[in-house]
Every structure is written in C-alpha cells, then in structure tokens.
Amino acid sequence: MEAGTTTELQEQDCYVSLTHDHLNAQDVIDRVRSPKAGAIVLFAGTTRDNFGGKPVKELQYSSYGQLALRTMMSICQAMVEKHSLTSIAMIHRLGTVPIAEESILIAVSSPHRQAAWRAGEEALEECKARVEVWKKEEFEGEDGVWRANRDGAVGQKMTEEEANADQQSTVQAAISKGTLA
C-alpha cells in the first residue's frame, strides 16, 4: 500500500480501514452515528513524545493489509455480537505518524453507554494483540526499533530485512491456518 491510498472493508454494522492519510475523528463518528444509538464512544490513539524515557521522533507503521483487514473485521464483528452494538468502525493509519497525530481511531455506537465503553476498550486491546500491524519507533539521535504493535513491550532492534522476514512469517502462518487464501 502506497502513501495516499486506503483499503477498507464494510460488512453490515462494521467498517475497517487501513490508510496512509491523516485520520479524521468526525468522519469516524459519523460512520457509526445512528438514531438507534444512545451513545457513541471514540478512542483516538496518538503518537506520544517518549517511550521508556527516550524522546520519540515519530512512529512508522506497516501491515500485511489483506490479513490485517480481515483480522480487524473479525474483531469488529465479535464486538457487535458480544456487546449488541449498533455499529463499530476501526481505522489504522500506516506510514509515518508524527508526534501528537492519531495512528488509530475506533468508534463504537450502541443503545447504551456501558456497552459502548466496554466494546471500545475491548476492541482496542484485541486490535493491539491480534492485528498484523508493525511499528518502527524512531528515537531522537538513534536508529529506529521495529516491534509488534503492543503496549509496553520493548522493541527488538531489527534490520529492515529481519522485519520483512518477520512479516512474511506471520503471513505464512496465516496461510497455514487457512485464515488467508
């Protein structure tokens, strides 16, 4: 996927997208707006200026688009089912994400606020645990570190080739499990 491109899937009450474009919170809220919903919850994940006491310059995200979209859709469908949601949208930005800009938006609508709160948080945790997105943390004055997109885990320094090999390994595992054709 190149800069300026967006890939997306939409099925019933679920919308997922990977994009290199800036994320727009209002657009995502509007995607889940419904007269049936008494609550809309939005989570916006942003690039912070430090990690582990080191100053962060920027983050770079990459993904295996096809598989990541399918995983995102699976998460959204599970959230709709489990929490009786009206609608859910999950958009992840790829490429370079500067400090204070959003890398992910998750919007959830439901008849009642409790379900929306729970589903929004659970969708984020599932996304971070399962979606095939990798990030490279660029620190001031240092080489970047590639790692899986997980909270709090310190990255392993990898070359670009090692990061690509790790992504290919994930794809091969998905093909073996039958989750990717």
Side-chain angles (χ1 to χ4, degrees):
M1 214 169 112
E2 296 179 22
T5 60
T6 300
T7 58
E8 58 190 5
L9 289 176
Q10 183 158 6
E11 295 180 13
Q12 294 177 316
D13 302 322
C14 300
Y15 174 82
V16 298
S17 175
L18 295 168
T19 184
H20 280 84
D21 297 332
H22 285 87
L23 303 183
N24 183 312
Q26 189 61 53
D27 287 349
V28 177
I29 289 171
D30 290 344
R31 277 201 175 273
V32 301
R33 188 175 307 282
S34 167
K36 297 176 187 175
I40 295 176
V41 169
L42 173 72
F43 172 81
T46 60
T47 301
R48 64 180 172 264
D49 66 359
N50 70 83
F51 181 80
K54 293 182 184 179
V56 173
K57 184 171 83 173
E58 64 188 16
L59 298 179
Q60 295 177 28
Y61 290 90
S62 67
S63 75
Y64 186 77
Q66 245 185 344
L67 185 56
L69 284 171
R70 287 185 190 175
T71 302
M72 291 165 72
M73 181 58 71
S74 172
I75 292 166
C76 289
Q77 290 170 332
M79 295 301 106
V80 167
E81 175 89 14
K82 180 177 181 179
H83 297 284
S84 300
L85 301 179
T86 305
S87 188
I88 184 170
M90 181 184 294
I91 295 92
H92 205 299
R93 186 169 167 189
L94 301 176
T96 300
V97 181
I99 301 298
E101 290 189 17
E102 291 79 16
S103 57
I104 186 168
L105 296 175
I106 299 173
V108 176
S109 65
S110 69
H112 305 285
R113 69 182 181 277
Q114 294 90 350
W117 283 117
R118 288 185 196 109
E121 183 174 17
E122 190 174 332
L124 174 66
E125 296 306 324
E126 285 293 308
C127 178
K128 291 183 94 41
R130 295 179 39 210
V131 175
E132 296 77 12
V133 171
W134 295 267
K135 71 178 169 183
K136 184 178 185 182
E137 294 175 331
E138 293 282 344
F139 297 103
E140 296 292 343
E142 293 184 29
D143 290 337
V145 176
W146 280 101
R147 66 186 183 106
N149 189 22
R150 312 286 184 265
D151 275 340
V154 176
Q156 301 260 343
K157 190 163 272 201
M158 301 173 96
T159 65
E160 200 83 27
E161 292 78 25
E162 290 170 325
N164 289 335
D166 183 58
Q167 289 177 5
Q168 288 303 317
S169 172
T170 299
V171 170
Q172 290 304 318
I175 291 170
S176 296
K177 285 194 258 180
T179 56
L180 183 65

